[in-house]
Amino acid sequence: MLEVARLDAFYGRAQILHEVGLRVGPGEALALLGRNGAGKSTTLRAIMAQGPRRTGEIRLLGADVSRLQTHELVQAGIGYVPEDRRIFTDLTVMENLEVGRRPARPGHAPWTAERLFALFPNLAEMRQRRGGQMSGGEQQMLTLARTLMGNPLLLLLDEPSEGLAPRIVEQIALAVMALKTEGLSILLCEQNLHFARLICDRACVMARGRLVFEGSFATLEADPARRDALLSV
Amino acid sequence: MDFFVAQFLTGLASACSLFLVASGLSIIFGVTRIVNFAHGAFYMLGAYVAYSLTERFSGALGFWAALVCAAALVAVLGVAMEILLLRRIYRAPELFQLLATFGVTLMVEDLVVLVFGPEDLLGPRAPGLKGAVDILGQAIPAYDLFLVALGPLVLGAIWLAFHNTRWGILVRAATQDRDMVAALGVNQKWLFTSVFALGVFLAALGGALQLPREAVNHAMDLKIIVEVFVVVVIGGLGSVTGAFLAAVLVCELNAFGVLVLPQVSLVLVFAVMALVLVLRPYGLLGRPDGAARPAIGTFITPWRPFTARERMLVAALIALVALLPLGAGVYVLSVAAEIAIFVLFAASLHFLMGAGGLPSFGHAAYFGLGAYGAAFALKLAGLSMAGAILLGPLLGLAGAVLFGWFCVRLSGVYSAMLTLAFAQIAWAVAFQWVGVTGGDNGLLGIWPQGFAATPAGFYWLALALAIMGVAALRTLIFSPFGYALRAARDNAARAEALGIDRHRIQWAAFALAGLFAAVAGALFAFLKGSVFPDTLGIPLSVDALAMVLLGGVETISGGVVGAIAYKLLSIWLMSETVHSKLVLGAVIVTLVVAFPHGIGGAFTRLRDRLGGAAA
């Protein structure tokens, strides 16, 4: 589904990502772990061509997409859920979903508002509410739903559990697991190891803008000392 | 009573066109974050094109078709400007697009004279609405009543489009967070272009609708653009409803202000704007969000003082210009002195904008106050030239201290618009307080004395003060005060968390920038031998802004480089061609596209590249 190779990124002359390489298979969920400032969110932003200048190879379904602009990447099939949610606070729930709406992809049932309300029942009760009047958890669900309206093939999820109550985190985890069951490929940035383990098949760990581990959760957690050194959980 | 109703309706009718133009500007700013200075030019073009079309189309239908066709044609021009010019510079620093649209405005001003001639053109009356309607015994032109009704209709139509179409929802979303809209798969390019098309259409329609009310002339654009800025800021940038309310407010203030207090009519609107902004820093219906996300890492070249080698180079250059009187005549020396004065003026604005992060659209206020201060010191207090140049600028300092206190409490474009309002107030005072300032006749006979009475002497004086001023500003930039100022510019919240009193630091910077501008102004008074209200005027403020942006607001020497380039160019063009505005505008547009970081920025990049290759 997604292949990233030798991804470097720069702020001005400062290099912030060094030769990051990732592979997300069809229907696979890959966790991108690491401490604050390790470069996880930057990796997602670099893939989406938002923010830093980047070089390297990015392939989606085998096609080179490294020269595409953000909106073209979305049209090609990447859905991006940024970490700070970035709900349109002046727009209602329905209008937020409308901004994300894109044509259906052949061979996939398109997402509709009604299907999304089945996935996130909370949202169904507040269709005409403005984004600014929603709680953090509701906003997180809305931002996920909004991205799904674009009928992505691959979902880039940036710390969906950050700053939310455990009960809400659980709801979101269940929803993301349901998405995975439907065959959506997922690249998930997380600090919450537990949340990532629930959803993902494999894990990558980043530190200082580099990839320092790649493998199964079992391998990662086999050596608690090493796990703590990498993630300090 | 009846008379007041009539006056009220006239105000509402005037509000219609103002609202159309202002809403267009507001929508464009909301989505693209561009302050479209050319908006007034499109308004003017709408009137001119409508005039030409009404001459060709006949009949009642022909008249109305001409208005709409004119607006559509001008909208096509607006789209062309967006696609050919602005698309190339969306990544440039904030306000740089303003410089590009200013260049376009200059070109349009000369072009309409070339195409339509310099005379005022009187358009036809609106068919079917030629008469007057009797309301409470007052005859109200039927066309005015039509305009009174049209304003709310257009407001309603825009509201419906914004809430019931996918395009409208995208526009509202992009007004809040355009990067997120792109991250959801929307091609911003076409969204921007469509918004430009609508905004320019509204501006041109506003111009075309004025056809039956007033004569079309080539100064319409500047007249309306200032009012439109005021309306947009009072209403809140990006808010169409706010623009409507503000347009009504401004037009009623104009309609009744003239009756109640004719002496202060020029000041009234700006005073109300200042009041609104002090009470509601984001306008009546604006939202605090406003600040666009800074494009991190797009241009990070940390500022540093000159190296020893660069210092030698600068010293050599200074020595060279100081020798100018040996080989130059009187005319060249007076031009050179003027350039030196403007170098100081632009450097002071650059200090405020570049180091302080506080854009000013009204910096001429302090330049002009300095000039008047020097004139008062000489004429009223009977001081010598030295005393006048020493004490005169204190008037500019006082103005900057007073106005700056308000301006630093606002942010971004709002702050810039408030500086414009204060400059207009200062101008109006100078213009109307004839007893003290001489009004339009100015103050005359302010001639240099002693050694400075010769052209070479005055040139040396201007050069010395300019060099000392620029050096002082540079030293400030690399002093602890400068560090705190730049910290507040880059991240206000973090700077405050470090214990920096942001408002105080910025207020001090504002006062200093005003003082240095005032020194330049005092010199200018002696260069010209006179002071006129023009020295406080908007055109001069815009010139200074163009100099700073052209030189590069992100480079330390941007003000100096820009002032020399802009001044040389405009003085030379003025002597070479009658179409100096057309050529100057074209040159600005070309420079903007060629050097999206200003001339100084291009130097820095070149130096970095050469330095990088050598290392």
Side-chain angles (χ1 to χ4, degrees), chain B residues 273-314:
Chain B
M273 165 178 164
L275 185 72
V276 168
L277 285 185
V278 168
L279 297 177
R280 290 189 63 91
Y282 297 98
L284 293 174
L285 297 180
R287 296 196 184 268
D289 164 35
R293 290 156 186 273
I296 319 163
T298 46
F299 191 74
I300 301 176
T301 306
W303 285 3
R304 57 167 178 74
F306 282 138
T307 60
R309 216 163 98 200
E310 285 165 338
R311 215 170 287 168
M312 300 241 299
L313 193 70
V314 171

Side-chain angles (χ1 to χ4, degrees), chain B residues 84-246:
Chain B
L84 297 175
L85 175 58
L86 297 177
R87 270 194 192 176
R88 297 166 191 274
I89 51 169
Y90 277 126
R91 297 241 157 245
E94 206 188 351
L95 291 184
F96 203 65
Q97 298 90 358
L98 183 140
L99 179 61
T101 55
F102 170 64
V104 171
T105 307
L106 287 177
M107 291 169 72
V108 170
E109 281 177 359
D110 258 6
L111 280 174
V112 292
V113 176
L114 275 176
V115 176
F116 300 98
E119 307 85 19
D120 282 16
L121 304 176
L122 269 174
R125 311 275 296 277
L129 296 171
K130 283 178 184 163
V133 179
D134 187 274
I135 295 179
L136 296 171
Q138 301 278 329
I140 314 280
Y143 188 73
D144 276 12
L145 292 178
F146 162 75
L147 290 180
V148 170
L150 186 65
L153 279 178
V154 172
L155 174 65
I158 296 176
W159 194 90
L160 281 177
F162 275 13
H163 287 82
N164 292 299
T165 67
R166 173 171 170 82
W167 176 82
I169 291 171
L170 290 180
V171 167
R172 282 162 59 217
T175 300
Q176 194 185 344
D177 187 348
R178 59 187 197 192
D179 286 341
M180 191 63 226
V181 172
L184 290 167
V186 177
N187 188 351
Q188 291 194 46
K189 260 189 197 167
W190 292 110
L191 196 58
F192 282 21
T193 306
S194 62
V195 161
F196 242 93
L198 175 68
V200 173
F201 178 86
L202 288 170
L205 189 62
L209 284 168
Q210 286 300 88
L211 208 52
R213 294 188 94 215
E214 60 176 320
V216 182
N217 65 68
H218 57 90
M220 287 172 81
D221 58 333
L222 260 188
K223 204 179 124 233
I224 193 139
I225 194 72
V226 176
E227 272 197 341
V228 164
F229 278 167
V230 170
V231 164
V232 165
V233 166
I234 291 181
L237 286 160
S239 166
V240 177
T241 315
F244 181 78
L245 292 177

Side-chain angles (χ1 to χ4, degrees), chain B residues 44-68:
Chain B
M44 176 170 72
L45 277 176
Y48 269 109
V49 175
Y51 175 83
S52 308
L53 291 182
T54 49
E55 292 212 308
R56 282 175 184 75
F57 298 0
S58 58
L61 198 64
F63 173 83
W64 299 108
L67 298 195
V68 176

Side-chain angles (χ1 to χ4, degrees), chain A residues 11-13 50 70-71 74-75 80 82 84 86-91 95 98-102 146-147, chain B residues 163 166 169-170 172-173 176-177 179-189 287 293 296-297 300 608:
Chain A
Y11 281 139
R13 272 184 269 174
Q50 285 221 325
T70 304
H71 66 95
V74 177
Q75 289 164 9
Y80 173 49
D84 39 3
R86 291 164 71 175
I87 285 297
F88 302 114
T89 48
D90 285 352
L91 272 57
E95 287 174 336
E98 174 62 30
V99 177
R101 184 169 64 82
R102 298 211 54 77
R146 185 179 64 179
T147 298
Chain B
H163 287 82
R166 173 171 170 82
I169 291 171
L170 290 180
R172 282 162 59 217
Q176 194 185 344
D177 187 348
D179 286 341
M180 191 63 226
V181 172
L184 290 167
V186 177
N187 188 351
Q188 291 194 46
K189 260 189 197 167
R287 296 196 184 268
R293 290 156 186 273
I296 319 163
I300 301 176
D608 286 358

Side-chain angles (χ1 to χ4, degrees), chain A residues 46-178:
Chain A
I47 292 173
M48 288 311 292
Q50 285 221 325
R53 187 168 62 82
R54 59 160 158 76
T55 62
E57 214 173 286
I58 301 172
R59 291 182 169 277
L60 184 71
L61 294 166
D64 180 17
V65 294
S66 58
R67 297 198 170 276
L68 297 192
Q69 291 175 279
T70 304
H71 66 95
E72 294 167 323
L73 289 164
V74 177
Q75 289 164 9
I78 307 183
Y80 173 49
V81 181
E83 67 179 323
D84 39 3
R85 300 185 198 124
R86 291 164 71 175
I87 285 297
F88 302 114
T89 48
D90 285 352
L91 272 57
T92 64
V93 167
M94 290 303 281
E95 287 174 336
N96 266 284
L97 294 180
E98 174 62 30
V99 177
R101 184 169 64 82
R102 298 211 54 77
R105 285 177 205 282
H108 296 266
W111 283 101
T112 60
E114 294 314 313
R115 273 187 74 201
L116 286 165
F117 290 147
L119 192 63
F120 300 109
N122 297 20
L123 295 182
E125 294 155 23
M126 46 181 81
R127 294 167 198 228
Q128 296 308 322
R129 186 171 298 185
R130 281 172 193 266
Q133 294 164 342
M134 299 167 75
S135 73
E138 290 158 357
Q139 285 193 348
Q140 186 62 55
M141 291 178 202
L142 178 57
T143 184
L144 190 55
R146 185 179 64 179
T147 298
L148 288 171
M149 284 296 282
N151 297 305
L153 304 167
L154 165 76
L155 198 56
L156 307 187
L157 261 178
D158 201 348
E159 304 221 11
S161 74
E162 193 186 14
L164 299 181
R167 195 177 51 83
I168 307 281
V169 172
E170 196 178 308
Q171 279 181 31
I172 288 173
L174 286 173
V176 176
M177 280 154 77

